[in-house]
Each structure stands twice: as structure tokens, then as C-alpha cells.
Amino acid sequence: VEYNSSNIDENMWRALSANMGMLGVVVDLRLRIREQYNLHSSITFKNDKFLFREDGLKKLISKCDHVRVHWFPKGGMLMQICGKETSRSVDDGAEGTLVNVPAVFQAPLKFVIHEGACHKDLNCLLEGVIYHYMKLAPPLLKKTRTGRVVHTKEATGYSHHILSSDVPDLKTQFFQTDWEIAVPLSKADEVLEVLRDYFKSNKICLPFLGLSMRFVPIEDTTLLAHTSMGQDFKPGELAVTFELIAYNPIGFPAEMEARYQKYFEEFASKLVYDFGGRGHVAKNRDWIFEIENQLGSYGDSLEKFQEVLNKVDPNGVFSNDFGANFGFEWQNRREQMCSGVQNWVCGKNKMTYQNPCSANLDGVKAHDFFKGKCEDYEFKPWGVFGLNSVHHKSSWLPKKVWIL
């Protein structure tokens, strides 16, 4: 089937534009693009007092066409990367880069990062080291007249070279969770005040480029993007994405890892519960999207997508776990597709079913069950908002968070 924006209704097109694989396989597409342009990029380092004045973040980015802000809360410092579209000619070899740690330091750095998961003081020291390393080696490169590649605080380059960078060798990396929650920029002042108090009171330090803030126009072109129109996300305004990288330690006992991960999970939960935030669909943990569904964070966008889903794939041929987390249902899934299959799930009603189809037949919706037998889990009330978390008996990490 061929679709284009002129021969189908608006909601169908918005659903197709970001459908997470739930509306079939795309075999051909045509994109509207813009001509290549040049960006003059400059990197500045400053005190974080600029964040905590009225409309502080909004004023920081007001003169930039493309901008990223990194906040290092322990040291009270900022790094801002500001790009302005320009007609200047490009500098030879100008490009953005990630933190480029010399090979000789990579193994020791991994050891220190792992120890930092055990000792907060070390983690805070590492945050300061990374900040000062960024001042010495800013994440922007260009070539000198002799052809030598150097780090610089200012360069002009092609937009795609400045705004993106090469992916580092995965063998030099470590396991991590990328937490990213989008919030309307109009709420940024309040969010930053809350996060400053939270990081300070819990002695949370962020050695991986601090708390990164990016800025995205809120548009009505899709239904499922985390910066799409709906609820407090107003078209024509900006959303700010708050992103932090959390190291995932290897070999921690379950209770120890739960204590470590708790602070990052609470960071994401605060933004979703208290500020109507939405998680990036390719990052975070699955329960973030389940909470958003329960809170109605997307307004009526999910209902509109469900209507399209009913027309395009009512039998669930392209159903996936992401859609189930968001609460989508496939109304004509045949019982025989899963009868007899032992794929145990535990329902919100604390009943165990042989497979998801059996749960559906009992009226348990997709977002109201998870994989596993109920007898292996505990339901723990939070005491607020009717929230209950579900934990495996051998772990403190929540498998699921529900409003009961």
C-alpha cells in the first residue's frame, strides 16, 4: 500500500510518520530535505548561576540556532555548545566529537567508573575531572594550517559534521542506561530547581558529561514522538530534553544494584509524574512508558493511533512489546495464535496466565500484565497516588509500576 500526505487523513499520516514498526514494513519512502548549510559553533564554560535566574535556560539559548547545554551540578558549572547558521566558509576538518579519551587511559577510567558506583565521593571527583578535561579538550575539532587536528572552542563546519559525530569503538565502552525525558521549556526553571535540590540532597554526581539539555520544536507531525503535540506540549513552542547517562555496574548483588539505580529511576519518575515529562522511545526503561500511558501524558494522541492501528493491523501481525507498554491493543488477535504456548504472564489482578492471549481473553489489557508468574513476585504499595510496584522476590528493582 502506498501512502502520501495528500491522499490520507491527517491522523493516519501522523501515525505512519512515527509508528515504531506497528503499522507494517516500510520498503520505500521519499523525504523532504533542506539544502546543506554551515554552522559556526562556539563552546563556552560558565557558572551555573545563569541557569537559576528567571527564564535562565531560555535566555542562555536565545541567540543560538542549534544548542546543547551540559550542567555539572557538583561543581556548579556549565558547558554550552552554541551553533549559528552562517554564510562563512568552513574550517578545514571542522567537526563535533564525543569525549575522546586516549587509549592509554581507557582501562584505568573503566576501573574508576566502576569504583565510583560504590563510592559517591569518587564519582563526584570524576565529574570534576571530566569537566576540566572538556575545558582542555573541547568536543570540537579542526585542522591547523599544517594539517594537524586540534581541539578548539570555535569552528565553522558543515551542519552534519558539527551536529553529529562518529560512534566510538564499542570495545572501549561500558554498559549504560541512557535516561532522557522531554519537558516543555516553559517548565524548565522549576525542573532545574527541583533537580538541583535532589542531586545535592542525595549526593548525586554526573561524570558522563553532566546533565545534558537539548532543545526540540514541539510539532504536530507525529502522534508518538516524545516531543509531539499533546497535553502541556504546545505546537510552536520548544521542548527541552533532560538526559543523563548512568553506568550499569557488572557483578553487583541485586539489592546493591537496586540502591545504586534507585536515584536514576527517581530522576526520571519525578520528571514524568511532576512535570508531565515523556521518555525518549528508544531509551529509558519500559515502565516509563507504562506510567505515561496511565497518566495520559500524550493526551488523545494514543487514542488516535489506536484508531489507525485498528484499521491497518487489527490482527496484530506487527504487534510488539513497545506497543504493549504503551497500552495498544489488537482487537482481532486469534485465540489459536497462542493457545497452548507456555509464555507465562502475571496480571495486574495478581493472576498468572499461560500466555498473553489467555490474559487478553480474561479482559486483562496488554499494559496490565508482564512476563513471569505472579508467585515469583511481590506487589509493594508506595502509599501515594495508589501506586504499587512489582518486584521479583530476589531483586529490589521494580519490574512494573501500576496505579491500583
Side-chain angles (χ1 to χ4, degrees), residues 175-224:
F175 294 107
Q176 64 189 50
T177 297
D178 196 345
W179 297 94
E180 181 183 318
I181 309 294
V183 173
L185 182 59
S186 58
K187 297 185 178 184
D189 284 1
E190 189 178 357
V191 170
L192 288 167
E193 290 283 357
V194 168
L195 291 180
R196 179 172 62 176
D197 293 341
Y198 181 71
F199 292 153
K200 183 177 181 180
S201 61
N202 291 285
K203 202 175 183 180
I204 299 172
C205 296
L206 309 173
F208 305 110
L209 290 178
L211 181 69
S212 175
M213 289 166 269
R214 294 182 174 89
F215 306 86
V216 186
I218 298 171
E219 299 178 332
D220 62 355
T221 54
T222 74
L223 294 173
L224 297 185

Side-chain angles (χ1 to χ4, degrees), residues 65-103:
D65 296 315
H66 299 272
V67 60
R68 196 165 79 237
V69 177
H70 295 267
W71 175 36
F72 297 83
K74 174 61 176 178
M77 302 303 292
L78 301 175
M79 177 178 73
Q80 180 179 1
I81 305 173
C82 176
K84 299 179 182 179
E85 296 186 24
T86 180
S87 58
R88 295 184 189 181
S89 59
V90 300
D91 296 318
D92 189 17
E95 62 177 346
T97 183
L98 298 174
V99 178
N100 188 16
V101 179

Side-chain angles (χ1 to χ4, degrees), residues 61-333:
I61 68 173
S62 61
K63 297 181 179 179
C64 307
D65 296 315
H66 299 272
V67 60
R68 196 165 79 237
V69 177
H70 295 267
W71 175 36
F72 297 83
K74 174 61 176 178
M77 302 303 292
L78 301 175
M79 177 178 73
Q80 180 179 1
I81 305 173
C82 176
K84 299 179 182 179
E85 296 186 24
T86 180
S87 58
R88 295 184 189 181
S89 59
V90 300
D91 296 318
D92 189 17
E95 62 177 346
T97 183
L98 298 174
V99 178
N100 188 16
V101 179
V104 67
F105 295 125
Q106 287 172 2
L109 178 60
K110 285 186 177 182
F111 176 80
V112 173
I113 288 171
H114 187 75
E115 288 296 305
C118 306
H119 307 289
K120 290 186 176 182
D121 288 337
L122 182 57
N123 217 30
C124 293
L125 176 63
L126 185 58
E127 178 191 300
V129 169
I130 293 297
Y131 172 77
H132 288 289
Y133 177 78
M134 299 301 290
K135 291 187 73 173
L136 291 173
L140 187 62
L141 304 175
K142 67 179 180 181
K143 292 182 179 179
T144 65
R145 292 180 180 178
T146 61
R148 186 167 64 93
V149 177
V150 296
H151 290 270
T152 181
K153 293 181 180 178
E154 192 169 357
T156 300
Y158 297 117
S159 58
H160 64 289
H161 286 169
I162 297 296
L163 296 175
S164 61
S165 57
D166 291 334
V167 176
D169 183 355
L170 294 179
K171 290 179 295 196
T172 68
Q173 303 304 298
F174 42 80
F175 294 107
Q176 64 189 50
T177 297
D178 196 345
W179 297 94
E180 181 183 318
I181 309 294
V183 173
L185 182 59
S186 58
K187 297 185 178 184
D189 284 1
E190 189 178 357
V191 170
L192 288 167
E193 290 283 357
V194 168
L195 291 180
R196 179 172 62 176
D197 293 341
Y198 181 71
F199 292 153
K200 183 177 181 180
S201 61
N202 291 285
K203 202 175 183 180
I204 299 172
C205 296
L206 309 173
F208 305 110
L209 290 178
L211 181 69
S212 175
M213 289 166 269
R214 294 182 174 89
F215 306 86
V216 186
I218 298 171
E219 299 178 332
D220 62 355
T221 54
T222 74
L223 294 173
L224 297 185
H226 70 320
T227 56
S228 61
M229 178 185 71
Q231 294 294 76
D232 293 333
F233 289 75
K234 309 299 182 185
E237 298 180 6
L238 286 178
V240 51
T241 65
F242 293 95
E243 180 178 12
L244 63 81
I245 296 172
Y247 166 65
N248 290 337
I250 301 299
F252 274 24
E255 291 187 13
M256 184 176 180
E257 181 171 357
R259 289 196 300 270
Y260 169 76
Q261 298 286 3
K262 169 188 173 184
Y263 300 108
F264 305 116
E265 294 169 355
E266 287 184 350
F267 155 81
S269 296
K270 281 179 180 292
L271 297 190
V272 173
Y273 278 117
D274 299 342
F275 299 100
R278 301 178 187 154
H280 190 295
V281 295
K283 303 178 182 180
N284 306 294
R285 298 277 176 85
D286 290 346
W287 52 264
I288 286 289
F289 310 112
E290 296 164 5
I291 292 173
E292 291 172 6
N293 178 41
Q294 295 178 46
L295 296 176
S297 301
Y298 281 77
D300 62 358
S301 293
L302 298 190
E303 295 176 11
K304 292 177 180 178
F305 190 92
Q306 180 71 65
E307 292 174 3
V308 174
L309 198 61
N310 293 342
K311 295 177 183 178
V312 177
D313 187 25
N315 297 322
V317 174
F318 298 101
S319 59
N320 56 39
D321 290 342
F322 174 83
N325 290 333
F326 253 115
F328 296 124
E329 298 177 354
W330 293 267
Q331 56 189 12
N332 296 331
R333 291 178 96 174

